[in-house]
Amino acid sequence: MQPFSLGNARTGVVDTATHSYQFHLLQPASPAPREGWPALFLLDADGCFATAVEALRRMARRPDATAVTDMVIVGLVPVGGHAPAMRQRDFTTPRSDDDSTSGGAADFLRFLRSDMLPMIDRLASIDMRRLTLFGHSLAGYFALWSLFQEDSPFDRVCAASPSIWWDQDHLLARLPHLAGRESHIDIMMGEWEGDLPPWQAREPDADRVRARRAERDMIGTARALYARMAAHLPPGHCCFRLLPEEDHASLVSAAMPRALRLASRP
């Protein structure tokens, strides 16, 4: 009996002075088009790379029905696994109330642009004009933040349950940077991120969880940020989706087909 594997997928490690990341890479079996493949980059990929690969395989069979085409998928995972401390470092911007364990977003973006992207392009031939970044939760905050950086290679972002609460004022202050851009942004939240699913509402700590969610108001802040971002972009370039019967933890799987569709856009 053969072990389960994801065909045409490979794994490697990229090291720099500041970062050490494992990457998973899926590329189509057919030759790349002249301009290269569109590419979807997944942060926190230990929880979503296989999901994305299987969704792509099913949906790309019928691009006429799904609007999903073949592409390169790149998943990034900190060496050693899903480490909360590394996420706190890499996906956040500095705040006055934080210590040195956070605020490394600029360094991480530099790593993606200068180290990761050139290596992936050598391995898989990607279209640098069609790069999509997918992030969930704190990685979703980073994905949105990256849009406002002049040196970001990503002009398409899928932010699932973005942790805008980390520094909403920072994002709002940089909104003018979107003016005149052709960026595509998809912000997704789960219906039950505003309250609790029925089964969780019966748990002993339900009131505590409900209070934390009310304080952060993730749906409200995401909807408000979407409206202000959309005002700076062409019609249809910024979308907000509230996915029914999804929670913060379950949203990733439901969001993935939409991320693939965004990455497939011409």
Side-chain angles (χ1 to χ4, degrees), residues 106-161:
D107 287 339
F108 185 63
L109 183 61
R110 190 178 304 114
F111 159 74
L112 293 178
R113 184 190 69 249
S114 301
D115 297 292
M116 181 61 63
L117 264 177
M119 183 193 66
I120 297 299
D121 190 41
R122 289 193 298 270
L123 294 173
S125 182
I126 55 179
D127 185 349
M128 293 295 180
R129 300 166 303 173
R130 299 172 68 192
L131 304 178
T132 302
L133 184 63
F134 176 88
H136 171 250
S137 194
L138 206 55
Y141 170 85
F142 172 84
L144 291 175
W145 169 86
S146 72
L147 281 170
F148 305 124
Q149 313 310 307
E150 294 180 357
D151 59 349
S152 176
F154 303 102
D155 209 33
R156 306 178 187 201
V157 159
C158 186
S161 302

Side-chain angles (χ1 to χ4, degrees), residues 1 54 59 91-93 121 126 185 256 258 265:
M1 181 179 296
E54 289 300 307
M59 298 179 74
F91 300 154
T92 61
T93 50
D121 190 41
I126 55 179
I185 306 162
M256 198 56 66
R258 294 163 176 85
R265 294 184 67 159

Side-chain angles (χ1 to χ4, degrees), residues 187-210:
I187 300 175
M188 284 175 275
M189 301 295 301
E191 172 192 2
W192 285 327
E193 293 191 77
D195 197 352
L196 299 179
W199 49 88
Q200 192 175 14
R202 296 190 291 266
E203 295 295 321
D205 65 342
D207 288 342
R208 178 185 61 82
V209 177
R210 188 179 286 109

Side-chain angles (χ1 to χ4, degrees), residues 39-63:
L40 174 62
F41 284 74
L42 308 172
L43 304 178
D44 294 331
D46 47 346
C48 62
F49 180 74
T51 301
V53 169
E54 289 300 307
L56 175 65
R57 286 179 175 166
R58 175 170 291 275
M59 298 179 74
R61 296 173 192 164
R62 288 287 311 280

Side-chain angles (χ1 to χ4, degrees), residues 168-181:
Q168 181 180 8
D169 291 342
H170 181 87
L171 295 180
L172 293 175
R174 299 189 66 85
L175 280 174
H177 289 257
L178 287 180
R181 298 267 296 275

